[in-house]
Amino acid sequence: MSDEVFRAVARELGDGFPPENVLYPVNARLRASYPDGLTIADIIDVFLDDSAVGVRTALTSRLRQWDAESVETWVGSTTPQSPERRARIYDLLGLPVDAHAEMDAHFPREGGPVVIAAQQPWDPWYTSERRREHDFYWRAYKRVLADKNWDEATIGKLDIATTEVVHRLADPTRPEPYQSKGLVVGYVQSGKTANFSGVVAKAIDAGYRLVIVLTGTIEILRSQTQRRLDMELVGRQNISAGVDDDYANDEDWRNGNFLEHEIDPNKTNEIPAIRRLTTSTFDYKSLLAGLSALHFETVDHSLPLNDPKNLYPSNIRIAVVKKNVSSLKKLVADLKKVPTELDQIPALIIDDEADQASVNTIDPKKMKTEQIERTAINGQIAEILGLLKRAQYIGYTATPFANVFVDPEDSVNVFPSDFIVSLERPAPYMGGADFHDLDDLDDLDDLEDDDKTPANSNQKAYVRDLRAECDEDRSAEQLRALDSFVLTGAIKLFRESKGVRPYRHHTMLVHESVKQAEHDAVANDFKALWKSAGYSQAKSLARLDKLWAEDFAVVSAARGSELPNPESFAELEEFIGAAYDKISEGTSPVIVVNGAAEKDYKQDSLDFQERGVWKILVGGTKLSRGFTVEGLTITYYTRRTGQADTLMQMGRWFGFRPGYRDLVRLFIGRTVGGPAGADYDMYKAFEAIVRDEQEFRNELTRFSGVNEKGEPWVTPRDVPPMVFQQLPWLRPTARNKMFNADLVYRGMGGESFSFTMQPPRGDGSINARHFGAVTPLLKSLDETGSFNFVDKDDVSRSFTARYGIVPAHVVLEAVDQFEWANGWDFGPHREALSTAIESGLLEDFAVLLPYPKTREPIEIKGWHEKLPIVNRKRQEREYRTGFTGTAVRERDAIEHIAGTPKKNGGPLAGALHRKTRGALILVFANDPAPRQLKRAQAGPVDSRDFATLFSYALPHAAEPLGRIGFRVRQSGTGAIVDAN
């Protein structure tokens, strides 16, 4: 096909328009050159032609938008991101059914954010037409992202995610006020600020005229957020129109890197200008005589501000305020004096790090009066919501547990009663899962530690243990971390010399304590170590050469082979001194970052905006929530905390690491002292909360969308019981934030669930009882056969298992004898299991016992035959509880037997399927006493020394749509609220 045809087809794939038959308008455009016209087969050939780059790019973008659309009438009854939606799109484009499969293969569905939402009391308003009419600030923000080298696909996904949020807000021109409250769940340091900046841009385009951004409790974070919004959204013209010159010494301001709008909003009546109520150097201050700054302009005084005639010409006010009682009180006081009627002002409140300080932490059971008591900051936020009847509240966090435990019956609280949006994990992001071996459990768990390599194990690649038992050992571990910091700085400079984009920042984070006095001691330790390490002398080269050869050369070969890497340490030597010089510049190589006044320290200021930072940062809270540590490469972490959300927020090593992902190292305490002399493994603690968070997100995904009646499966008030606590000492959030609901029923037909949440081993008696409980099942396994599964590379493989058919009531009797970890309740699963049996929807189970190909069965004391025993990770020491998985690969087989569509466990699994049959996998996992160093390799083995794990899937026909039920404590009714 010719370029003329390509251009004609691409023009019919315009941004923001619905899918329509493409053949007729294309032929109209090509009438002169192609009088006989093209056929639909020709159009399909163009879509699939790799040389038609413009067409493929445009079609990919439109399919992404159309797949996600949720408000336009053309979608019919189809749901976003579904096969039915894609088929609907193809039909509207005029593509025949026989072309759909090939189109899907070339343009697969990309997925999108997961949404849990209540039904909204209005018709869709944020339509594509509305978005096209008012898009000045969103288009400007997209240009900024493109200039930052965001690709089209990433910007497109942000477009979809932000639209998903904005269309769940109330129409700012709506006659009746409505407060929509929602929560956006991202990942730690994963680009949440980019998302809420996009939401702000679209919201002000849509008509929101007062924007309040709450940024956490520390000024360093507030200032960082203000600057980013100013630089990427507010723009030079709007900043220059004010009286403040807070960026006079800013390197990016002087170099012209702040957004320059195509049209100056201050010189036209067509585009609203933005007026800043805060600056990068000043939090909110009382306006006093300057209250006119909050007086909104109107064209027609006979109409309210929210009328479109007045709203769109009116300028925007934006305040970036930290969650500080004094600042918030000043804002509340000024709002009460605003001459514009407050119930006419469409306002947007963005609460960054929404689980910090915003939540009301007073236990409802302990309230002394009918009036709801509030913690100080929550009280101020509640008052703002009370004053601004048109205020929309959106919380942003990576650790949402505190927010979903808020009392939903409190009408002015921050519970996300209207929606929860769980963002996708960005492709280049380096998060918790990248530092732990969460996948391929069967492959990795059967390997001894010596067999794991940087190529097959994230832990081997990026994690270095801290196990010091004396000061000498501690100094040696600190020196290795410091050497790693210097060496990675040299590698970055080497890569720059080979044409890689310059690394403006290179940092090391040391986080050992929350106490400021201890920060001083740690900083002094590293200053002394820096002086004694000898980086400016030849004596350090042998040490760094060894570290390079044993660590960084190996990991970079496995994980960073696409980047320039030295072939020998000799190529790095000249850059060691240069890295040392950059780190040594200024007052000291170490900067203490905590709540103390900077005047108390003789050191350089920490400002990632004004200059490049190559430093060792020592601190606590200030280097936790929300604050982005730029260029972070080496982390030295030994601090313990008892809340999962607090611990996750300390994971500053999560984030985007362009051009140096392979150099990142986490030095983490494996024996951190705690109460009563107990030791705590912080690496295992992080692994536990990463798994808990992953399961929480999976639950949101399972129950997003609507049922056959078009009603939501669950609403935000049903979410709290989906939060699981794996470690007894590590709660999801603080106790004073967990007051809401109980999960009482959980049934997902055809979907397997692993029941690995077992209590600590203790003396092994629980293991022995569990084995005894399943012996009736073992006696029924009288057949052997082969089953299939699809591995992570989409390759079909097989496994051998003994199997048999067991009555459902026998299985129920067996699992009833199991004990579970504190903080986890088998009850909701049991309720679904017993209900299915009683209703006749579940008659029996196919029970499978897989036999590993590389591990021979072992003789069991007191049992008449050998059984397979595999390796599974268990939490260690006093608090160890639960295992990492049951049988990940074998789940295809039991889900196929249970009747799940599109699962393929092989011919035998298909033959075993019955409508009323579930399926269960048994696994026996090594669980020796702590003093026993070796896992069992040969028998006989005592039943106390292995754990009995299982996964099962209920018949798909028993709960084809899935159902979960809750009991809400606050209402006092005790009623179960079904999701179906």
Side-chain angles (χ1 to χ4, degrees), residues 1 116 196 239 442 462 664 712 769 791 811 881 891:
M1 292 289 178
I116 301 290
F196 78 63
I239 295 171
D442 295 298
Y462 303 120
V664 172
R769 287 196 295 274
D791 66 14
V811 172
T881 179
R891 290 176 185 173

Side-chain angles (χ1 to χ4, degrees), residues 432-439 458-459 463 683-684 686-687 690:
D434 297 292
F435 291 87
H436 300 270
D437 298 323
L438 304 184
D439 300 323
N458 292 332
Q459 181 179 354
V463 180
Y683 179 70
K684 289 295 184 184
F686 267 102
E687 181 175 300
V690 167

Side-chain angles (χ1 to χ4, degrees), residues 210-219 222 277-278 282-287 291 294 318-338 342 348-354 356-360 374-388 393 414:
L210 174 60
V211 178
I212 301 170
V213 181
L214 306 175
T215 63
T217 60
I218 57 175
E219 176 60 24
R222 193 210 66 82
L277 304 178
T278 55
F282 292 108
D283 198 350
Y284 191 85
K285 295 182 175 181
S286 296
L287 295 175
L291 269 175
L294 275 171
I318 185 167
V320 182
V321 187
K322 67 175 173 288
K323 282 181 265 191
N324 172 277
V325 174
S326 176
S327 298
L328 292 172
K329 280 184 175 180
K330 292 172 185 175
L331 176 59
V332 168
D334 282 348
L335 286 174
K336 291 177 179 179
K337 302 172 187 176
V338 171
L342 293 181
L348 175 65
I349 299 174
I350 298 288
D351 189 351
D352 194 16
E353 305 300 333
Q356 183 188 33
S358 302
V359 175
N360 185 16
R374 300 187 183 281
T375 47
I377 292 173
N378 172 265
Q380 295 303 311
I381 296 173
E383 188 159 4
I384 293 172
L385 290 170
L387 290 170
L388 299 169
Y393 174 89
V414 294

Side-chain angles (χ1 to χ4, degrees), residues 57-58 60-62 64 150-157:
T57 299
T60 298
S61 296
R62 297 298 81 74
R64 185 185 300 119
W150 282 43
D151 58 38
E152 187 276 334
T154 305
I155 295 175
K157 284 179 175 288

Side-chain angles (χ1 to χ4, degrees), residues 640 671-680 877-878:
R640 176 189 172 274
T671 55
V672 176
D679 285 342
Y680 292 85
R877 299 184 181 275
E878 291 84 351

Side-chain angles (χ1 to χ4, degrees), residues 780-789 798-804 846-853 868 887 890 893-894 897 905 908-909 912 920-923:
S780 300
L781 307 185
D782 47 14
E783 300 285 346
T784 300
S786 179
F787 298 86
N788 293 352
F789 69 94
S798 64
F799 68 93
T800 299
R802 285 175 53 196
Y803 67 93
V847 177
L848 279 61
L849 178 64
Y851 276 66
K853 294 181 179 179
E890 291 84 348
I894 64 169
I897 295 170
L908 181 54
L912 289 173
L920 182 148
I921 295 173
L922 274 178
V923 170

